[in-house]
Amino acid sequence: MSDTDLKPPADEESAERMSSAPVEADAPSGIGVIGWMRWMWRQLTSMRVALILLFLLSLAAIPGSLIPQNSQNAFKVQTWQAAHKTIAPIYQKLQLFDVYSSVWFSAIYILLFVSLAGCIIPRTWQFVGVIRAEPPGAPRNLTRMPVYAAWHTDADPETVNAAAHRLLRKRRFRAHLSTGTDGAVAAEKGYLREVGNLLFHLSLFALLAGFAWASLASGQGGKLVVEGDGFANTMTQLDDFTGSAFYGPEDLDPFGFKLDNFTASYQTTGDQMGNAREFIAHIRYWEGDDSSKLKAGDIQVNHPLDIGGSKVFLIGHGYAPVITVRDATGKVVYHDTVPFLPQDSNLTSTGVVKVGDYGDKDGKKVQLGFQGFFLPTAPANFGPTTGPISLFPGDASPLLVLTAYEGDLGTDAGLPQNVYQLDLTHMSQLQQDGGPAKAKMTPGQVWQLPNNYGTISFDSYKQWATFSVSHRPGNSIALTGAVLAVLGLIGSLFVQRRRIWVRAVVGPDGRTLVELAGLARSESARIAEELAELAVDLQDDAPALDEPDTPEVSDASPTPTRPADSESKE
């Protein structure tokens, strides 16, 4: 007997097919270019190709996390290129410094969009058609179903079928009582499986759309703010800014804030001594152009504050000594709060002081420069081997260590300079007591500079915090898509699509034969349990006769060529 002879008729094949997804073609349908295009479209919109594209998108994002990106830190990219001069040109041609805007990443992204759209639309129409249609009628031979039960009863077939229809609807099955000759009942349940499947696909589409919108209409800037100072979200006050195709400097959200104070606490005992316990920036902010309407707010790590359509993140903090420089006559030539940048977990910080307006000395214009360390908790002594180093991130014993220079800072040349670095090209170190001019200063101390250059005082210190101002309009869509994708995946994995048929007919001996059959899309004991429960409940209306063939649910072994077997592989 051939395989064709073993296949059920068309109506049985329709009844046994559990999926509402469109049938995929195994080969090009048609002749010539049009046929090949149809076949390629079917392949592109198949679930298999969509998963492959999703996997490729994940792989393509790896270089973006390992290699510095121009969109995030152009200076870091330049530093990396200077350190890898051989391979940098290759990376440049492959667009590895601009992964997320590269041609190959965009191609994968767009193909995935098209694949999901082409998969969702026909699948949705197919599912709507299944919902609107009646459950598939009972196959002629119910014994071929994986789960089957039968018994004889004296009740008439109409009563049995009507009772089965009532009981199935009570169990929330979508049931239909046939008006044909056999009057069989067809019922189906588990549509949430396909709903979850569609929700998962739609959520992936929304997730990708959210990321695409965020990349096209987002911007991010950074700002360092010292306690007591304020900030307005404008290009002139941002330390750095990265925009996008549809978000530039003119689109910055109007708001600002003042950093009243910063709270930092650390573990003081045990093995985790020095670990951070709490970082809170206490601010007062305003939205729009009216800076008089202030609202109090707190910004913590991983707890940003929403202001005027942007999120303000706390990303770092440190210390800023308050320094005053006076010339030989006692005139104040410099007074400012200077942020020092942390170099380790104990906040050993480095910084520079540039006194560009010192004035004239010995008939020529002079500029002073100081560079050194701020130690929140300084040791009693440190030597040349260890150098200045802090023992604890908290300000238990603050100390400022400075070295003095005089000459030309280079600030008048018109070239940009790093405010945290001192250009010593045209500077010479001052000498004191036969060695380089250095000083260790506690808050309130004054250092008498050599060569009658005046004094420098360490008045006090404040804390500073760095903030990231992020405008990403697609984040909420991406987050909603991710949550719905998980819910859809749960529904598609744990909800079982199943069908039950009940047929009661009068046999040759005049008795009524009651047949129950069930079919599930996957191997599961749930359909057998439901069929057994239905058989028990149906005994009230169709009691089984006292004979050997009493009601019994059996798991029949499916034949290899049934369409149900092929459907279980989807």
Side-chain angles (χ1 to χ4, degrees), residues 43 64 97 105 127 147 163 214 223 253 267 274 324 333 338 343 358 365 370 435 476 482 489 494 531 545 559:
Q43 296 303 309
F97 298 114
F105 189 88
F127 182 64
V147 186
K223 180 64 179 177
D253 299 314
Q267 181 74 27
T324 302
V333 294
V338 185
Q343 303 299 307
Y358 179 83
K365 184 177 180 180
F370 302 87
S476 57
L489 188 61
F494 293 100
L531 203 70
L545 299 178
T559 56

Side-chain angles (χ1 to χ4, degrees), residues 427-479:
M427 303 288 289
S428 60
Q429 190 171 20
L430 294 178
Q431 301 295 310
Q432 190 174 37
D433 299 331
K438 296 181 180 180
K440 300 177 183 179
M441 308 168 64
T442 57
Q445 271 192 321
V446 179
W447 177 22
Q448 186 72 39
L449 297 173
N451 301 338
N452 199 28
Y453 273 104
T455 61
I456 180 171
S457 62
F458 175 24
D459 301 335
S460 61
Y461 61 92
K462 299 179 180 180
Q463 295 192 85
W464 56 260
T466 50
F467 300 92
S468 175
V469 181
S470 176
H471 178 87
R472 293 184 65 85
N475 278 355
S476 57
I477 296 177
L479 178 61

Side-chain angles (χ1 to χ4, degrees), residues 68-345:
Q69 299 295 297
N70 283 316
S71 60
Q72 299 174 356
N73 194 329
F75 179 75
K76 192 173 182 180
V77 171
Q78 295 175 2
T79 304
W80 194 95
Q81 290 176 338
H84 304 81
K85 294 182 179 180
T86 303
I87 198 173
I90 301 176
Y91 280 18
Q92 188 74 36
K93 291 182 179 179
L94 295 176
Q95 299 181 300
L96 294 182
F97 298 114
D98 300 280
V99 168
Y100 304 111
S101 59
S102 64
V103 174
W104 49 271
F105 189 88
S106 301
I108 298 174
Y109 208 90
I110 294 173
L111 283 175
L112 184 56
F113 258 104
V114 174
S115 178
L116 286 175
C119 181
I120 291 171
I121 294 174
R123 197 177 187 114
T124 301
W125 284 115
Q126 185 84 7
F127 182 64
V128 170
V130 170
I131 291 294
R132 297 181 61 183
E134 297 176 352
R140 289 193 296 269
N141 188 4
L142 292 178
T143 58
R144 297 185 68 259
M145 295 297 102
V147 186
Y148 176 81
W151 69 88
H152 287 93
T153 181
D154 287 335
D156 58 279
E158 291 78 7
T159 302
V160 177
N161 290 332
H165 181 263
R166 183 183 71 254
L167 291 173
L168 286 169
R169 291 182 63 87
K170 186 178 179 181
R171 293 174 176 272
R172 298 193 301 275
F173 275 82
R174 195 167 66 95
H176 172 70
L177 179 60
S178 175
T179 58
T181 55
D182 59 356
V185 179
E188 193 168 14
K189 193 176 185 180
Y191 289 96
L192 285 178
R193 182 186 184 94
E194 188 64 18
V195 172
N197 207 334
L198 291 173
L199 179 62
F200 176 75
H201 286 75
L202 288 170
S203 301
L204 284 182
F205 196 85
L207 186 65
L208 293 174
F211 283 138
W213 186 16
S215 64
L216 292 174
S218 65
Q220 183 172 332
K223 180 64 179 177
L224 185 149
V225 184
V226 180
E227 285 178 320
D229 291 347
F231 158 73
N233 191 34
T234 60
M235 279 298 297
T236 56
Q237 295 202 23
L238 283 171
D239 295 333
D240 58 76
F241 174 75
T242 302
S244 59
F246 300 109
Y247 191 84
E250 66 281 359
D251 301 313
L252 290 171
D253 299 314
F255 71 90
F257 62 84
K258 296 181 179 180
L259 178 61
D260 292 333
N261 56 78
F262 187 87
T263 301
S265 61
Y266 306 91
Q267 181 74 27
T268 57
T269 58
D271 296 336
Q272 297 184 346
M273 181 177 176
N275 286 2
R277 287 291 173 262
E278 185 180 52
F279 290 153
I280 305 177
H282 306 281
I283 69 169
R284 286 176 297 157
Y285 65 95
W286 69 89
E287 299 183 39
D289 299 325
D290 190 356
S291 61
S292 61
K293 297 180 180 179
L294 297 177
K295 303 177 185 178
D298 292 337
I299 305 176
Q300 303 182 50
V301 178
N302 297 326
H303 290 82
L305 185 64
D306 289 312
I307 309 178
S310 296
K311 286 182 180 293
V312 181
F313 295 84
L314 174 63
I315 60 176
H317 94 290
Y319 294 94
V322 181
I323 295 174
T324 302
V325 179
R326 292 178 171 84
D327 61 13
T329 63
K331 177 185 175 182
V332 176
V333 294
Y334 180 90
H335 177 78
D336 202 358
T337 304
V338 185
F340 276 46
L341 300 182
Q343 303 299 307
D344 56 29
S345 59

